Amino acid sequence: QVHLAESGGGSVQTGGFRRLSCESSGRAVTMTTMAWFRQAPGKEREFVAAIRGIDSHRHYADLVKGRFTIARDNARNTVYLEMNDLKTEDTADYYCAATTNEILSALQRVGTYVYWGQGTTVTVSS
């Protein structure tokens, strides 16, 4: 069993920075593909970024590429999402997710992930 706990959400102005954290218990993050998804009000949950356990390969959604960075601290068993140059359209609930699946083509799919956190809300205002 894997338990994921997100933190770091809050309010920020456009162009600002926010770092989200996801602490994993029950399974090391090095053995697991970890990802961030987000869901805005009235919209479907969408992929943001993933980092594979096997080789730390990072994969990003086009909308956040160049602005967001996913990183992993093995000692803390924690995955981070560093968000720069935030836009109002980044406003959403952000969810951490985990899977043992390492297949690149599957990393963007919600259904690939077995374990999910409760989410943390990021609000970007102008």
Side-chain angles (χ1 to χ4, degrees):
Q1 189 71 17
V2 175
H3 177 71
L4 304 174
E6 304 100 332
S7 61
S11 297
V12 61
Q13 292 190 320
T14 53
F17 168 85
R18 201 80 188 178
R19 187 175 81 159
L20 305 182
S21 301
C22 172
E23 184 174 358
S24 173
S25 60
R27 189 178 180 93
V29 293
T30 53
M31 299 174 62
T32 310
T33 293
M34 304 292 294
W36 288 94
F37 285 76
R38 69 186 183 187
Q39 188 165 16
K43 295 189 176 181
E44 292 186 352
R45 192 167 297 190
E46 65 176 3
F47 171 77
V48 176
I51 182 167
R52 285 202 311 196
I54 191 171
D55 59 3
S56 297
H57 173 85
R58 294 168 174 81
H59 186 61
Y60 297 94
D62 289 341
L63 286 175
V64 306
K65 203 172 292 184
R67 298 189 298 122
F68 290 12
T69 301
I70 188 169
R72 189 174 69 199
D73 184 331
N74 298 339
R76 288 182 168 84
N77 221 29
T78 299
V79 173
Y80 302 98
L81 184 68
E82 298 180 342
M83 306 184 290
N84 291 284
D85 190 24
L86 282 162
K87 307 175 187 299
T88 55
E89 51 264 41
D90 294 319
T91 295
D93 293 327
Y94 284 74
Y95 296 89
C96 180
T99 179
T100 54
N101 194 323
E102 303 276 8
I103 300 173
L104 278 178
S105 61
L107 298 186
Q108 297 190 72
R109 301 177 196 153
V110 171
T112 296
Y113 295 84
V114 177
Y115 304 103
W116 292 86
Q118 293 298 309
T120 187
T121 301
V122 174
T123 303
V124 185
S125 58
S126 58

